[in-house]
């Protein structure tokens, strides 16, 4: 451990602990301390011999970290990130960038004015597989993109909902779909319009458990995404990608990218095409695409250290992540109103 780059972590819950472990294991950086007012976090810090603060501002002032990871509840992201920017400390803010587009735009403005880099934790973009898919889809290997199918079908255990996740905002749109929307924006380009329907019939909570989306990409392709957190099923990035060892990996696709010359199943990485430009009577060829796997959280931390050192610009800036959040807000609005909603219009309205 070199200890050259000192990183603080605000919020030592589920994902915060993973960041803490990764920083501790990294040769690029060292832990400057954690900020989390919960008794569990304090006990954890004491047991690990880590400097503990009940307030992130005290950590910023006393430890003077080189960078800060913000892994607190969404509603705290804005104020914590603004404090980092005010102290000139680059921040890695967990996804979603903030809880609303209006809040995210405030952060974008603060980051722009100060020049302090803000990286957002849409960590899947650091997965080499996502980058390979982007190269194939965007690079023309499957021809012109015509259609995209996204599936996010799985079962969350019932006790997951016992801790404040039954209300609007605690469901799969903001917590999970935001990852898939970010993947799709990164791979296929901007989403110009959305239509959506949601249902809470399976679990009966205020928050949605199931949704269907229709997406129009700026490049002209049409996408659908179907999600439900109330069904035993293998089709989701979480279970299909093997990215997070907490979920038993399933050898099933969760995205299909269809182009005029071929199609790609992901993350199963099978490329389908007609060798001789044939049609449905001809045999289809199926080719496996070999892309080495890597832990995107490890790569994200390496990148954050490079951002802190000024060697790299944030791969996912606050502005870019605001675009992802705006799509999720557009989905919510479309589900409530039944209208086609433009994410760009949502950003213009609150700007
Ligand atoms: N990138 C990912 O895949 C991923 C996965 C899980 C969560 N997240 C995001 O990370 C964030 C945290 O989610 P989680 O699942 O770890 O939640 P969590 O509830 O497990 O942890 C949140 C922690 O923040 C602490 N906290 C509350 N108020 C605080 C304050 N004022 N200062 C400092 N800490 C405070 C809580 O005590 C808790 O320990 C959310 O924004 C979530 O969307 C991202």
């Amino acid at each position: 451990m070199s200890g050259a780059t000192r990183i603080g972590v605000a919020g030592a819950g589920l994902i915060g602990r993973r960041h803490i472990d990764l920083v501790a294991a990294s040769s690029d950086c060292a832990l400057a301390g954690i900020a989390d007012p919960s008794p569990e976090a304090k006990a954890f810090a004491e047991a690990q011999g880590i400097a503990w603060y009940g307030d992130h501002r005290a950590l910023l002032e006393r430890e003077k970290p080189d960078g800060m990871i913000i892994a607190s509840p969404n509603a705290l992201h804005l104020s914590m990130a603004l404090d980092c920017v005010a102290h000139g400390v680059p921040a890695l803010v967990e996804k979603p960038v903030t809880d609303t587009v209006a809040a995210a735009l405030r952060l974008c403005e603060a980051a722009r004015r100060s020049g302090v880099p803000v990286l957002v934790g849409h960590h899947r973009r650091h997965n080499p597989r996502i980058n390979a898919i982007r190269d194939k889809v965007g690079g023309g290997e499957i021809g012109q993109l015509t259609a995209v199918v996204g599936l996010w079908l799985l079962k969350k255990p019932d006790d997951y909902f016992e801790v404040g996740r039954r209300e609007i905002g605690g469901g799969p749109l903001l917590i999970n779909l935001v990852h898939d929307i970010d993947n799709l924006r990164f791979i296929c380009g901007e989403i110009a319009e959305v239509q959506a329907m949601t249902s809470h019939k399976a679990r009966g909570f205020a928050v949605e458990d199931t949704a269907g989306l229709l997406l129009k990409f700026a490049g002209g392709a049409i996408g659908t995404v179907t999600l439900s957190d109330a069904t035993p099923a293998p089709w989701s990035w979480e279970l299909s990608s093997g990215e997070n060892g907490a979920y038993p990996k399933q050898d099933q696709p969760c995205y299909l990218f269809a182009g005029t010359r071929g199609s790609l199943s992901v993350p199963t990485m099978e490329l389908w095409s007609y060798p001789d430009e044939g049609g449905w009577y001809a045999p289809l060829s199926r080719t496996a695409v070999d892309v080495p796997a890597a832990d995107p959280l490890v790569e994200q931390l390496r990148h954050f250290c490079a951002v802190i050192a000024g060697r790299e610009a944030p791969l996912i800036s606050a502005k870019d992540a605001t675009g992802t959040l705006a799509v999720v807000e557009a989905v919510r609005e479309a589900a409530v109103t039944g209208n086609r909603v433009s994410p760009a219009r949502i950003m213009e309205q609150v700007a």
Side-chain angles (χ1 to χ4, degrees), residues 13-15 35-37 71-74 76-77 80 94-95 123 179:
L14 186 72
I15 195 75
D36 188 323
S72 56
N74 300 343
L76 298 178
H77 290 187
M80 288 184 163
E94 263 302 344
K95 62 84 240 186
H123 63 281
H179 279 300

Side-chain angles (χ1 to χ4, degrees), residues 132-155:
I133 296 158
R134 187 186 200 219
D135 289 348
K136 297 220 170 288
V137 172
E141 191 162 341
I142 62 168
Q144 182 191 329
L145 186 67
T146 59
V148 181
V149 176
L151 295 175
W152 189 87
L153 298 171
L154 51 66
K155 186 167 193 310

Side-chain angles (χ1 to χ4, degrees), residues 68-93:
M68 187 83 140
I69 297 176
I70 298 174
S72 56
N74 300 343
L76 298 178
H77 290 187
L78 174 65
S79 59
M80 288 184 163
L82 289 178
D83 288 334
C84 289
V85 166
H87 282 77
V89 173
L92 163 52
V93 184

Side-chain angles (χ1 to χ4, degrees), residues 19 68-71 90-94 117-122 300-301 304:
H19 287 300
M68 187 83 140
I69 297 176
I70 298 174
L92 163 52
V93 184
E94 263 302 344
V118 174
L119 170 69
V120 181
H122 284 293
Q300 177 178 258
L301 182 59
F304 184 43

Side-chain angles (χ1 to χ4, degrees), residues 9 22 34 58 70 101 106 132-133 194-195 209 230 269-270:
V9 177
L22 289 166
I34 65 173
I70 298 174
V101 169
R106 281 185 60 198
I133 296 158
V194 308
Q195 289 177 282
D209 50 60
M269 301 304 282
E270 288 179 334

